[in-house]
Amino acid sequence: MKNLVLIILLCMITLIYCIDIENLEIKEKSKNYDENGNLISFYLLNPQMINSYSCKSYVHLFPDGKLKGIDLQDDTIIHGLSLEAGCRIEFYETGEVHSVLFTKNRIIKNIPIKAYGLEGPVVEFYQNGNLKYLTLSEDYLIQDIPCRAGAFSEIYLHPNGSLQQAELSMDITYKEVPYKSRSILILDDKANVLEVKRTFFLKKSFLDFLDWFL
């Protein structure tokens, strides 16, 4: 009986998130297929509604036809997340937001996040809605750790929201241990330091230049 209920629920999820291709106006030459012949991406001829979302042009599908990604035509809120027109969203198969390419800097869960547009690093989320990966728009203190901003100073978080990885923006003493600025700390989900990495000077200088350029 439990297996039957599970199968019914999975079928309902598939029906909810699959899109009706026949009723969409698509640029024929924009269609892309996977090796099994499944349509996986295309561009719309004009903005259209898909699964209650106002889509601007780009549409990405899972092989089974469920919606995987879109470019937003209008400002909207999805699962409590405020999204502006023009940003690109990728979904989990169950419909939660997986990642976003934002067009404007913003604050999410009190963290200042940098936006680089459709060509920049994404902001990733766990299925529970917590942040997973981001880059900062300014140096910022996360759980008593001064984290460095920049496209190449990556911030990772654990599913419970605690800091997993960050590059230090200044010298600190954390839990009675000193750490140098620009060190990369790897932490467990209890905020204990597991590993420390250092960036070589030449690589650091090159990345700083790229950050300035971006």
Side-chain angles (χ1 to χ4, degrees):
M1 184 63 181
K2 289 183 178 179
N3 289 337
L4 179 59
V5 172
L6 180 60
I7 291 172
I8 292 173
L9 287 174
L10 289 174
C11 289
M12 289 176 65
I13 290 172
T14 299
L15 288 172
I16 290 171
Y17 292 111
C18 281
I19 67 174
D20 185 2
I21 299 294
E22 300 300 323
N23 291 325
L24 296 177
E25 296 180 345
I26 300 171
K27 296 179 181 178
E28 283 300 320
K29 292 184 178 180
S30 73
K31 292 181 178 179
N32 289 308
Y33 299 84
D34 64 14
E35 62 275 9
N36 296 317
N38 299 306
L39 180 63
I40 56 171
S41 70
F42 55 84
Y43 284 85
L44 300 170
L45 284 171
N46 46 62
Q48 297 168 60
M49 295 296 296
I50 300 177
N51 286 12
S52 77
Y53 303 130
S54 179
C55 304
K56 183 178 181 180
S57 57
Y58 176 75
V59 179
H60 192 189
L61 304 177
F62 287 103
D64 61 2
K66 291 198 290 289
L67 186 63
K68 185 175 183 180
I70 53 171
D71 288 347
L72 278 180
Q73 169 67 14
D74 301 312
D75 295 350
T76 190
I77 296 176
I78 300 177
H79 298 296
L81 183 63
S82 179
L83 301 163
E84 75 274 11
C87 67
R88 178 167 294 177
I89 314 162
E90 293 283 328
F91 299 97
Y92 286 98
E93 286 197 71
T94 45
E96 301 90 353
V97 175
H98 176 274
S99 63
V100 182
L101 286 166
F102 289 107
T103 60
K104 299 176 183 177
N105 292 352
R106 67 197 44 247
I107 294 176
I108 299 177
K109 297 185 183 296
N110 298 317
I111 298 176
I113 294 175
K114 178 71 174 176
Y116 291 92
L118 298 186
E119 302 302 324
V122 300
V123 177
E124 294 185 9
F125 299 84
Y126 290 103
Q127 283 183 278
N128 64 8
N130 284 339
L131 286 162
K132 180 178 182 180
Y133 169 84
L134 59 101
T135 52
L136 295 170
S137 59
E138 60 187 73
D139 294 348
Y140 189 72
L141 194 68
I142 301 178
Q143 297 162 17
D144 297 324
I145 295 177
C147 303
R148 188 174 185 276
F152 303 98
S153 299
E154 301 172 318
I155 305 293
Y156 289 89
L157 300 162
H158 288 286
N160 66 357
S162 64
L163 188 63
Q164 182 179 21
Q165 176 181 312
E167 182 177 350
L168 297 179
S169 60
M170 59 187 292
D171 294 350
I172 64 164
T173 297
Y174 179 71
K175 294 189 175 182
E176 301 182 352
V177 178
Y179 299 98
K180 290 288 187 181
S181 175
R182 305 302 296 271
S183 297
I184 298 172
L185 301 189
I186 313 295
L187 304 96
D188 65 16
D189 60 4
K190 302 293 190 302
N192 300 306
V193 176
L194 299 176
E195 184 181 355
V196 182
K197 299 179 180 179
R198 291 287 294 172
T199 304
F200 291 112
F201 176 77
L202 288 177
K203 181 179 180 182
K204 184 165 54 179
S205 299
F206 177 67
L207 294 179
D208 286 346
F209 170 76
L210 288 179
D211 267 336
W212 173 83
F213 181 76
L214 291 172

